[in-house]
Amino acid sequence: MSVGAATRAAIADLNARFAWALDSHNWTALRDVLTADVHYVSVGREFHDADSVIASFQARPATRTTRHGLGNLLLRDGPQGSILGWSSWHTFASNDAAARDVPLFMVADFQDTYTSDANGAWRIAERIIVPVFRNDTLAPPSTPGVSR
C-alpha cells in the first residue's frame, strides 16, 4: 500500500529536523525526532535508546561542523502501522571550525523504520546507516569506547 501525501510530508519534515538537529548540535530537537527506544546503527556503532545516540554526538568536539542532506526518499507501509523508508544521505564535515574548503565526508544509504506516537507525530524508531562512500580522514576524532 502506498504512503499518503500527508504522511510523506511529515516524514520528510522529520528527516529535515533530524539533519538540522545534528548540524546545529540541538540535542533537545534530536530527542524529539527519535523514539525513546530507537535502534541506531552507524559505522561500527550500535545504540538501543535515544540517550545513547545523543550522548555519542555530544561526545564529539564542539569544533566539529557538519551539514547533512538527503534525497531519493522511498517510503512503504510497514508492519503494525509503521512506515519503512530508504534514502540517500550526504554529509559534509570538518573537525576544524575555521575550515572553508570542506570535501564530502560520506554518502550513505539510510534504512529507516518510522512509528507514530500517541499524538500522531512520526518518530525514527530504527535507523541503519550503510556507508557507500566515506572519507575516513574527515571522521570525528576517536572517542574512548567508540569506533570511528
Side-chain angles (χ1 to χ4, degrees):
M1 182 176 233
S2 66
V3 175
T7 299
R8 175 173 285 286
I11 291 175
D13 179 73
L14 174 68
N15 280 308
R17 289 185 291 123
F18 174 86
W20 280 109
L22 283 182
D23 293 342
S24 64
H25 302 188
N26 185 335
W27 313 125
T28 301
L30 183 58
R31 183 175 307 285
D32 289 343
V33 302
L34 303 171
T35 62
D37 62 347
V38 64
H39 179 227
Y40 192 96
V41 179
S42 176
V43 191
R45 301 175 303 154
E46 183 169 355
F47 306 100
H48 295 279
D49 61 78
D51 290 338
S52 297
V53 173
I54 292 166
S56 75
F57 289 112
Q58 288 175 320
R60 293 180 174 177
T63 57
R64 182 159 175 83
T65 302
T66 59
R67 288 298 177 268
H68 292 80
L70 79 136
N72 303 325
L73 180 62
L74 178 64
L75 300 173
R76 296 286 183 262
D77 287 329
Q80 302 172 340
S82 67
I83 301 292
L84 304 177
W86 299 267
S87 53
S88 298
W89 286 68
H90 60 271
T91 306
F92 292 88
S94 175
N95 294 312
D96 176 4
R100 294 292 172 240
D101 183 22
V102 180
L104 184 67
F105 165 49
M106 185 166 58
V107 175
D109 294 334
F110 281 35
Q111 302 165 5
D112 295 326
T113 301
Y114 307 99
T115 58
S116 59
D117 64 18
N119 298 319
W122 289 97
R123 300 285 182 257
I124 299 166
E126 181 174 60
R127 173 153 282 172
I128 298 173
I129 301 171
V130 180
V132 177
F133 307 110
R134 189 167 189 262
N135 180 344
D136 287 332
T137 65
L138 297 173
S142 294
T143 303
V146 177
S147 65
R148 289 178 92 181

